[in-house]
Amino acid sequence: MNKTPTYQGVDFIIVGQGLTGSLLAHALLQKGKTIHVFDNHHQHASSKVAAGIINPVTGRRVVKSWLIDDLIPFAKRTYKELETRLGIKIYYERNVIRILFSIKDENKWLEKTGDQTVAKYVLENKGLGSFSRKINEGEGVGEIQYSSQVDMPLLLDTTKTLFLNDKILDVEKFDYQLVRFEKEQVFYKKIKAKKIIFCEGQQGRNNPWFGKLPFEVAKGEVLLVKIPNANFDKILKHKLFVVPLQNDLYWIGSTYDWDSPDDLPTEEAKQLLIHKLKKVLTIPFEIVDHQAAIRPTTFDRRPLVGLHPENTLLGIVNGMGTKGASLAPYFVNQFVEFLLEGKALDKEADIARWEKED
Ligand SMILES: Cc1cc2nc3c(=O)[nH]c(=O)nc-3n(C[C@H](O)[C@H](O)[C@H](O)COP(=O)(O)OP(=O)(O)OC[C@H]3O[C@@H](n4cnc5c(N)ncnc54)[C@H](O)[C@@H]3O)c2cc1C
């Protein structure tokens, strides 16, 4: 006799529990939705390697980041709410001390930060503070405020433990071959759901439904180092970023490799990072770890958010690139409002912008 299989029904299956999938899962649970999450906890997931910096004024050209006036308050609110709900500390407000290496750099800084829209993110600098006499000085110093740092690994770990306890997370690779669609529902193993949402980071390039979207490979390598008694309290942007973690531990990064075939640490990048760090610090340091990951970057440097044009049972929130800490809270919320309330997506992030390209 044929037995009809019994399925556990949920509103949404989420594939990927990096920063994006974790934020999406928490947001949907907050709205009273039921979810089931699959994640293979890839060792080199971008969120596990990132510094989590939110920096409003970036780059050699000293420009304000896209949408930053909206992103910062939104990110702050989201991470603070999660801190309260999960009982952890993940959001650190930290200014960025930016070293200006030449008179030309200084002039560029003064010119750009003179602009009204940028000026509010810049502080009149009062010197190097705790970096004084511990780093090689440049020609000048700029200081950025309203910047912050998000502890992504702690958010991921806490979320993983919580979801495992609640039996709403399976630690395994999601097998696309096993997905079935029937009567406006999607079936995967013992679960049936209203939709599957993919938050797979760079692994999204292998997704049979969304893999053709214009992902780009941007591998980054970093060092974790001990700098005994440095007591740096701010983020330093010198030849590298030096970001305080805890107990004399600092995040040092990072490299950019736009066509690496893999996400593994390389000796070449390690030596480059050490070489640069020696140019930054005048005090000793000790290497604790060396990590690598591929940032989920896109051709136009904008996120990839939306439902599949031909199968609306499938959705994606991806493409957070180099700025997931600030972009993911905002675009996850936008996607949830789109999904549950029919609100419009930002055209610059909506995957519909690529439909005509096929
Ligand atoms: C060196 C480096 C430095 C960075 N620094 C910063 C920074 O300072 N500030 C900032 O904002 N951003 C930074 N980033 C970028 C940031 O890491 C990303 O924007 C963000 O973490 C992306 O999160 P995500 O959840 O979309 O992807 P990911 O972190 O890649 O997570 C995807 C998850 O999905 C899982 N997964 C994928 N496919 C499957 C499948 N088929 N089955 C099961 N599980 C699957 C993976 O295992 C992973 O856990 C940095 C990145 C790197 C590499």
Side-chain angles (χ1 to χ4, degrees):
M1 210 169 75
N2 267 349
K3 261 196 178 168
T4 323
T6 49
Y7 292 99
Q8 183 205 343
V10 294
D11 292 316
F12 300 101
I13 291 173
I14 298 174
V15 180
Q17 192 242 307
L19 176 71
T20 307
S22 298
L23 292 176
L24 179 64
H26 287 298
L28 288 170
L29 289 170
Q30 269 294 92
K31 297 273 182 192
K33 298 296 163 192
T34 51
I35 58 167
H36 198 92
V37 182
F38 290 90
D39 191 295
N40 60 356
H41 286 288
H42 184 52
Q43 212 187 329
H44 303 285
S46 196
S47 309
K48 292 187 180 162
V49 174
I53 302 166
I54 297 180
N55 186 4
V57 182
T58 60
R60 279 219 181 121
R61 291 180 297 122
V62 191
V63 287
K64 202 166 82 160
S65 295
W66 179 56
L67 286 181
I68 202 69
D69 296 337
D70 297 328
L71 300 184
I72 286 183
F74 205 90
K76 181 173 177 176
R77 200 161 61 238
T78 306
Y79 294 121
K80 287 275 176 201
E81 273 172 23
L82 279 172
E83 284 187 340
T84 308
R85 202 148 9 111
L86 301 174
I88 51 175
K89 173 90 183 134
I90 49 171
Y91 185 76
Y92 296 86
E93 287 179 331
R94 287 193 206 281
N95 287 3
V96 176
I97 296 288
R98 183 170 165 153
I99 303 300
L100 307 169
F101 292 104
S102 61
I103 301 281
K104 200 172 150 206
D105 273 2
E106 263 194 313
N107 287 341
K108 165 85 55 191
W109 176 260
L110 289 172
E111 177 205 331
K112 293 288 184 169
T113 57
D115 180 308
Q116 275 296 304
T117 61
V118 179
K120 70 174 185 189
Y121 293 111
V122 176
L123 261 188
E124 197 193 327
N125 179 261
K126 297 194 177 64
L128 284 170
S130 60
F131 296 106
S132 187
R133 293 186 300 279
K134 294 173 191 151
I135 63 167
N136 283 307
E137 296 184 17
E139 193 65 45
V141 186
E143 185 158 352
I144 297 163
Q145 59 179 345
Y146 304 121
S147 43
S148 57
Q149 177 197 353
V150 179
D151 189 341
M152 296 190 199
L154 181 60
L155 173 60
L156 264 57
D157 275 355
T158 312
T159 301
K160 179 182 175 184
T161 307
L162 182 74
F163 288 180
L164 282 173
N165 278 340
D166 291 348
K167 300 198 171 23
I168 57 170
L169 167 67
D170 283 334
V171 179
E172 63 183 49
K173 191 164 172 59
F174 186 86
D175 185 350
Y176 309 115
Q177 310 275 349
L178 302 180
V179 177
R180 260 187 329 108
F181 305 100
E182 211 178 290
K183 294 185 193 141
E184 290 303 301
Q185 281 191 313
V186 55
F187 293 78
Y188 181 76
K189 294 190 172 174
K190 290 273 166 70
I191 296 180
K192 68 175 173 185
K194 292 177 186 155
K195 289 190 196 305
I196 306 183
I197 313 300
F198 293 98
C199 305
E200 300 172 285
Q202 64 90 19
Q203 290 189 66
R205 289 180 295 153
N206 307 320
N207 185 298
W209 300 285
F210 294 107
K212 287 219 169 77
L213 286 167
F215 286 99
E216 280 197 352
V217 168
K219 178 171 165 182
E221 300 196 35
V222 309
L223 296 177
L224 296 184
V225 303
K226 277 220 160 185
I227 316 176
N229 305 316
N231 300 321
F232 298 153
D233 48 356
K234 296 178 183 173
I235 296 166
L236 177 69
K237 168 80 176 80
H238 197 288
K239 302 235 176 261
L240 292 160
F241 273 101
V242 177
V243 185
L245 299 175
Q246 65 294 95
N247 304 330
D248 286 344
L249 197 62
Y250 295 85
W251 183 102
I252 310 294
S254 55
T255 59
Y256 276 84
D257 179 351
W258 295 95
D259 55 13
S260 174
D262 61 48
D263 57 8
L264 302 174
T266 63
E267 188 56 31
E268 192 190 346
K270 182 179 179 182
Q271 291 310 325
L272 179 68
L273 290 166
I274 293 172
H275 174 74
K276 285 192 174 180
L277 187 57
K278 283 183 177 163
K279 292 199 161 177
V280 175
L281 296 176
T282 57
I283 54 175
F285 63 89
E286 176 196 325
I287 296 167
V288 174
D289 202 2
H290 169 209
Q291 301 173 343
I294 294 177
R295 305 166 180 90
T297 311
T298 62
F299 176 74
D300 62 357
R301 306 290 180 267
R302 295 290 180 259
L304 298 168
V305 183
L307 295 179
H308 194 280
E310 281 146 32
N311 183 348
T312 56
L313 299 180
L314 302 170
I316 183 169
V317 189
N318 203 330
M320 300 301 157
T322 58
K323 296 187 175 147
S326 55
L327 292 173
Y330 184 86
F331 283 102
V332 159
N333 178 67
Q334 201 174 91
F335 181 71
V336 168
E337 290 186 345
F338 160 79
L339 212 53
L340 305 184
E341 298 164 37
K343 289 193 184 170
L345 292 171
D346 186 320
K347 285 197 170 54
E348 284 191 74
D350 191 340
I351 52 167
R353 72 190 184 279
W354 296 109
E355 274 167 40
K356 40 192 174 305
E357 306 291 323
D358 285 346

